[in-house]
Amino acid sequence: MHRLLLLGSLCLLVAPPALSIFQRPTGSPAPPGLQYLLEPLHAAVHTQRGATATLPCVLRALPRNYRVKWSKVEPANYRESIIIITNGLYHKNYGPLSPRVRLRHSHRYDASLTITDVALEDEGRYRCQLVNGLEDESVSLTLHLEGVVFPYQPSNGRYKFNYHEAKRACEQQDSRLATYQQLYKAWTDGLDWCNAGWILDGTVHYPIINSREPCGGRLLLPGVRTYGARDKQKDRFDAFCFTSALQGQVYFIRGHLNFKEAGQACRNHGATIAKVGQLYSAWKFSQLDRCDGGWLADGSVRYPITTPRERCGGLPDPGVRSFGFPSKELRTYGTYCFAG
């Protein structure tokens, strides 16, 4: 249920209607349903984790007794969470985004929302709503993070996560459950995976580039196959995680280390043993390319390949290769460390 939150004792701006410098040319009709808000030039804003992003919302004119309300549509439950409300003179922030949001307010008609230190969970659809009695109107924008989607399963095999466990597993690996849009883009970029996994909205999918017998058969067309919505408590699948750019560096330490020694080697360098999401991020954004298997924080052994070659797994496409979850006592691998 949506609640309309007021600004309490804050005074409302009272001003006569005024034409703005953004007045449309004579004879040019306003977009359908929009009298006071300008239609944004672009419906999507692209950014990375850790950056500062601004979602534009500009008024044509200042109506009487107006407020502008920014909210975010949460993909997990489709509810709107209020972020900020302003009356042009004062504003009030709400919710977990509160410490990182402000109004750009570069001029008197500007109600654009600026988000600092963008986090993975900030991706999604935002709404700028002008509240003006019976003339309420709004524009919607989408904040897209550049990133990478990767399938994830635990050490005890595939199809072990219920929805809540999958969500927690991604967060433990410096990532979050992917949205359908993120998974679809990953498929268009070449992600081909036969195991079904949870995504953020509680549905289950798997992306197929090369149709084959174990993955629905050869007759089905390539695409993002879906199992639809599943029971979040009882049904068990893998997870599709999403991560974005790092504020730090992933690097490799060579050696013949067991898992415990790998963690200590990273700490000796003032770092921590890298998480799976951090390795994928370094591969995607820093072009980390190593032929050496290394321990990661979840006990798996992986290595990132940017330039495929015969002696590094022999696979034709770039990617993060996996040796699975070997015995933690095995002294065969080096380690990947993360320095933030």
Side-chain angles (χ1 to χ4, degrees):
M1 181 186 301
H2 307 323
R3 294 182 299 166
L4 182 62
L5 301 186
L6 303 179
L7 284 174
S9 61
L10 295 182
C11 297
L12 294 178
L13 175 65
V14 179
L19 289 178
S20 78
I21 58 174
F22 306 103
Q23 182 179 10
R24 60 186 181 277
T26 303
S28 174
L34 290 183
Q35 179 181 356
Y36 293 105
L37 294 178
L38 282 171
E39 187 76 18
L41 288 176
H42 303 286
V45 174
H46 296 265
T47 187
Q48 294 180 353
R49 178 169 53 176
T52 296
T54 297
L55 299 169
C57 185
V58 178
L59 282 69
R60 302 173 189 275
L62 304 178
R64 294 178 179 273
N65 301 336
Y66 80 96
R67 286 173 294 140
V68 170
K69 178 177 71 173
W70 275 100
S71 57
K72 183 175 186 288
V73 179
E74 301 297 345
N77 52 28
Y78 300 104
R79 294 183 179 177
E80 286 195 22
S81 301
I82 294 177
I83 299 170
I84 195 168
I85 297 179
T86 180
N87 62 10
L89 292 177
Y90 306 98
H91 70 272
K92 186 172 182 179
N93 294 16
Y94 298 88
L97 266 174
S98 180
R100 296 189 289 112
V101 295
R102 58 181 171 81
L103 294 170
R104 182 174 63 180
H105 206 62
S106 59
H107 50 78
R108 62 190 296 224
Y109 302 96
D110 186 14
S112 302
L113 182 73
T114 295
I115 305 174
T116 60
D117 193 20
V118 171
L120 293 177
E121 58 269 20
D122 295 343
E123 171 146 326
R125 186 159 64 90
Y126 292 76
R127 189 158 74 108
C128 175
Q129 182 181 14
L130 176 72
V131 182
N132 183 35
L134 298 177
E135 300 178 294
D136 295 359
E137 56 189 58
S138 65
V139 295
S140 293
L141 301 106
T142 301
L143 185 66
H144 283 301
L145 269 69
E146 299 172 9
V148 57
V149 172
F150 60 94
Y152 188 75
Q153 58 184 221
S155 59
N156 57 342
R158 73 172 195 159
Y159 294 175
K160 301 296 183 182
F161 294 135
N162 66 24
Y163 172 82
H164 306 287
E165 292 164 344
K167 184 174 183 291
R168 187 162 55 249
C170 288
E171 292 167 354
Q172 289 171 346
Q173 296 308 314
D174 191 51
S175 59
R176 72 187 299 235
L177 278 174
T179 64
Y180 182 81
Q181 290 77 13
Q182 290 165 345
L183 181 62
Y184 185 87
K185 183 180 185 302
W187 170 70
T188 64
D189 291 340
L191 181 61
D192 183 277
W193 196 255
C194 202
N195 293 345
W198 294 101
I199 63 172
L200 186 59
D201 64 3
T203 57
V204 175
H205 308 267
Y206 64 102
I208 294 297
I209 298 291
N210 302 306
S211 298
R212 50 203 187 271
E213 287 304 329
C215 304
R218 298 179 183 275
L219 298 180
L220 285 179
L221 293 174
V224 179
R225 314 265 175 81
T226 180
Y227 287 8
R230 312 299 291 188
D231 190 307
K232 292 183 178 181
Q233 292 287 354
K234 297 179 181 179
D235 289 330
R236 296 189 173 270
F237 298 94
D238 292 345
F240 286 105
C241 305
F242 172 84
T243 192
S244 185
L246 287 172
Q247 293 181 295
Q249 180 187 13
V250 174
Y251 61 92
F252 181 74
I253 294 179
R254 189 182 300 275
H256 297 283
L257 309 170
N258 63 30
F259 177 72
K260 184 177 180 180
E261 293 166 343
Q264 187 59 52
C266 292
R267 289 191 292 273
N268 290 344
H269 285 75
T272 58
I273 188 168
K275 299 177 180 180
V276 176
Q278 291 167 341
L279 185 66
Y280 270 92
S281 179
W283 166 74
K284 174 73 173 181
F285 292 100
S286 303
Q287 289 74 54
L288 184 62
D289 184 288
R290 288 207 66 104
C291 207
D292 307 281
W295 291 103
L296 296 177
D298 66 341
S300 65
V301 172
R302 306 173 195 252
Y303 62 101
I305 295 296
T306 302
T307 304
R309 44 210 188 268
E310 189 62 35
R311 295 188 177 182
C312 293
L315 296 177
D317 299 315
V320 175
R321 319 280 195 241
S322 176
F323 286 111
F325 295 84
S327 168
K328 291 184 176 181
E329 301 304 317
L330 200 62
R331 284 191 171 92
T332 305
Y333 307 105
T335 185
Y336 288 96
C337 304
F338 172 71

